[in-house]
Amino acid sequence: MSELVRVERLVVDFPVRTGLLRQRRVRAVDGIDLELGRGEILGLVGESGCGKSTLARAIVGLAPPSAGRVLLDGVPVPARRPPGMRRRIQMIYQDPGSSLDPRRTVSQTLAEPLRRDRTVPAGQVGLRTRELLEMVGLGERQAHALPRELSGGQRQRVAIARALAVEPEVLVADEAVAALDASVAGSVLNLLSDLRERLGLTVLFISHDLATVRGLCDRVAVMYLGSIVEEGPVAEVFARPGHPYTRVLLDAVPSRHRRRSGTVARGLAGEPPSPLRVPPGCRFHPRCPQAAERCGEAEPPEVRRDGQRVWCHFSWRDGQAFEL
Ligand code: SF4
C-alpha cells in the first residue's frame, strides 16, 4: 500500500492561561511520526485529552504545527494551504448538527462546496447533489429538509456527503459516531467502509471505542499524553499488544475473541497527568503497573516487531516482560 499522508516529528503547542496574568504553552502533540497508506483506515485511540483531536486538526490544516511537518503524497503541506490542497483532506466531526447551517436545506448545504470549488459545471450541481445524497444513503425527501428535521444519523450522512462534495482523498473522522446510538452508528460505520471500497478513500478514524476500531480499521495507533506509544495492524495489536497502556485499554473492551493471560489487567491508576507537567522518562510511568526504575529516568526506545512499533523499555509477550 503506497503512502498518502506522512506526519513527521509533528509538534503542536497551545498557549494556556495558568493564572490571572500568567500564560504558558502546553504541548498537545509531541513529536509524532505517523503514516497513512492510500486506501487504508487507520484508527487513532487514547483517553480524552491525549491529543488525538489536535493531531487530526493539524493534519487537516486547522491547527498550525509548532514544529515538524505533514506531507501529502510526498509533498510538504504549507502552513497556508492552497484550496487545491485543502480539499484533498476533509474532516467529519462528532456533532454534525453544529457544523451544518440550520437555515440551509440539505441540497443547499451540498451545493455550496460544489459551486465554491467548481467541482462540477454550474449546470450539473443539482445532478451531483442527488448523486452525493445517493452515495450516503439519502434521497429526495431529505434533500429539501433542514438539519433539525433530520435524525442524528442522517445529519452525519449529510456531513459525510458535504465532505465528499470536493472529492477528497482523505477523510478525518473525529469521534464521528460517538454521539449516535449503536444501530445508527453501525450504519454510518458501514457507510465509511463502503466509501473506502468504492472511492478508494483513506480514512483517519479517531475514537475512544476500541471495539469499533477493531471492526473498522486496518491499523491502529495508540496515543498517550501527546505521543504515540504503539502502532501496528489491528489484528496484531489486539491479539498481542506490545505496550502496557494498550493492554489496559484492551482489558476494558469486552471480547469473546481476545485470549490473553494479562498481568496488566488491574486498570489504570488515577487520571492522565496534565500536559503542562509531562513526567520525565516514559510519560506513562506514574500510572504503569509495570514501571521499573529506569522508566522514570530515560525515554523508552522505539521497538519494531512484526509490523508493530512500541515505545517501552521492555518487550512484552503475553504479559511477561523481557529485557530489550
Ligand atoms: Fe511501563 Fe516502563 Fe514500558 Fe513505560 S517504559 S510502559 S513505564 S514498562
Side-chain angles (χ1 to χ4, degrees), residues 26-27 47-51 224-226 245 268-280 282-288:
V26 64
R27 182 149 291 180
E47 292 165 286
S48 46
C50 71
Y224 183 79
L225 205 56
Y245 179 58
L268 283 174
E271 297 292 314
S274 160
L276 285 168
R277 286 178 294 279
V278 174
C282 170
R283 56 191 60 201
F284 184 52
H285 87 264
R287 300 172 82 199
C288 178

Side-chain angles (χ1 to χ4, degrees), residues 24-157:
R24 285 182 59 189
R25 291 191 77 74
V26 64
R27 182 149 291 180
V29 172
D30 194 1
I32 283 183
D33 290 311
L34 203 61
E35 288 168 20
L36 266 121
R38 198 179 294 276
E40 82 167 342
I41 305 184
L42 173 69
L44 183 63
V45 301
E47 292 165 286
S48 46
C50 71
K52 305 186 294 288
S53 294
T54 306
L55 174 59
R57 289 171 61 79
I59 291 172
V60 174
L62 299 173
S66 311
R69 59 186 188 166
V70 177
L71 294 99
L72 185 55
D73 235 348
V75 178
V77 176
R80 280 180 180 276
R81 300 185 184 194
M85 194 170 249
R86 234 179 2 235
R87 69 157 191 83
R88 294 174 69 185
I89 308 181
Q90 292 292 307
M91 189 145 174
I92 309 164
Y93 298 91
Q94 175 175 347
D95 179 10
S98 62
S99 67
L100 299 176
D101 186 333
R103 293 157 304 178
R104 284 190 181 173
T105 64
V106 169
S107 55
Q108 287 169 337
T109 294
L110 298 184
E112 193 271 330
L114 293 173
R115 292 204 175 95
R116 184 195 60 214
D117 285 29
R118 300 200 178 110
T119 320
V120 292
Q124 291 178 21
V125 167
L127 175 65
R128 183 64 181 148
T129 299
R130 287 193 291 279
E131 282 174 0
L132 286 165
L133 283 172
E134 194 184 324
M135 213 180 274
V136 298
L138 298 175
E140 194 61 29
R141 255 181 63 205
Q142 287 86 22
H144 306 294
L146 292 166
R148 66 179 149 76
E149 295 166 327
L150 302 173
S151 68
Q154 288 172 330
R155 281 198 291 267
Q156 195 57 285
R157 285 169 186 269

Side-chain angles (χ1 to χ4, degrees), residues 8 31 53 65 101 112 144 166 169 192 202 240 294 321:
E8 279 183 357
S53 294
D101 186 333
E112 193 271 330
H144 306 294
V166 294
E169 292 157 73
L192 283 176
T202 300
R240 285 174 290 282
R294 82 173 90 150

Side-chain angles (χ1 to χ4, degrees), residues 1-2 4 36-41 88 135 164 167-171 191-203:
M1 191 180 293
S2 65
L4 181 57
L36 266 121
R38 198 179 294 276
E40 82 167 342
I41 305 184
R88 294 174 69 185
M135 213 180 274
L164 295 178
E167 298 175 6
E169 292 157 73
V170 185
L171 275 188
L191 172 63
L192 283 176
S193 180
D194 182 47
L195 291 172
R196 182 262 287 266
E197 292 298 323
R198 276 200 285 160
L199 306 178
L201 278 175
T202 300
V203 181

